[in-house]
Amino acid sequence: PMQFLDLSVHLEETPSESLPVRITREDHVQSAPYMASFFEAQVEDLPGGFGWATEEITASSHAGTHVDAPWHYYPTSGDSPARTIDELPLEWFYGDGVLLNMLHKERGGSVSAAEVRAELARIGYTLKPLDIVLVQTGADKEWGQTGYSVAGAGMSAEATRWLIDQGIRVMGIDAWNWDAPYWAMRQRFRLTGDPAVIWEAHRVGKDAEYCQIERLANLDQLPFPYGFKVSCFPIKLRAGSAGWSRVVAMFDA
């Protein structure tokens, strides 16, 4: 039978999420007068006196597990206006998944193109266009804690560019950020004075179009590094720089 594995974190109010998330909940009792008013009825006319349950959400499109659009990285991509999340082809967001184990990377490190190639050689896999590449750093184990946004490693510009050159259009990571954590980029900029180290992997989108998934989870539960499908359709946020996604891996048991 087909197995489904949730690779997403919750969209929730949590110490892990440095971007704003506010959820106002209305339960069945609170909503009952409002629901009854639709029908010119009384609360007593509703079964048990209960209305409906609802939530009102104020949140960044980059909170929780989400897909970044090229528009997030820069106003242009190549010689064209950068596309927003609702403009991207659906074909990008369902395909064969490939897991790259980067648990050996130091906290704050950046994965190189050579390390990506070495991991692909180790698992015996050759990338093909529109594969969905997932990078495991182990940072998801700190979800729910204040240190989550500074945990794990990230991807370098050269590794991102190399993946794009192989025809990869969607790639994701189990950390807060596709790049190395902000503290590590800040430290590198302080040491080098080189602006190229600032958000370097994201900025690859200036030249080549791609999407990244941030804040994946449960990659350690994938039973094999390839041979599974990934669905990661983002919500259709008009002119959005990102869209929340319920990322799911599917494989035969």
Side-chain angles (χ1 to χ4, degrees), residues 100-127:
L100 302 183
N101 185 329
M102 294 294 161
L103 291 172
H104 65 279
K105 286 299 293 184
E106 72 278 8
R107 192 180 185 94
S110 287
V111 175
S112 69
E115 287 174 308
V116 171
R117 290 191 291 268
E119 176 63 3
L120 288 166
R122 185 188 73 82
I123 65 175
Y125 189 81
T126 301
L127 292 176

Side-chain angles (χ1 to χ4, degrees), residues 195-246:
V197 304
I198 299 173
W199 225 37
E200 63 169 89
H202 282 72
R203 293 296 198 191
V204 172
K206 289 172 57 178
D207 306 312
E209 194 176 51
Y210 81 105
C211 289
Q212 60 189 232
I213 313 168
E214 293 174 326
R215 275 156 255 178
L216 291 167
N218 304 323
L219 296 179
D220 59 328
Q221 295 180 38
L222 285 166
F224 21 74
Y226 57 90
F228 58 93
K229 295 286 187 182
V230 174
S231 171
C232 55
F233 297 102
I235 67 165
K236 197 174 181 180
L237 177 61
R238 186 177 295 280
S241 61
W244 304 321
S245 178
R246 184 75 176 266

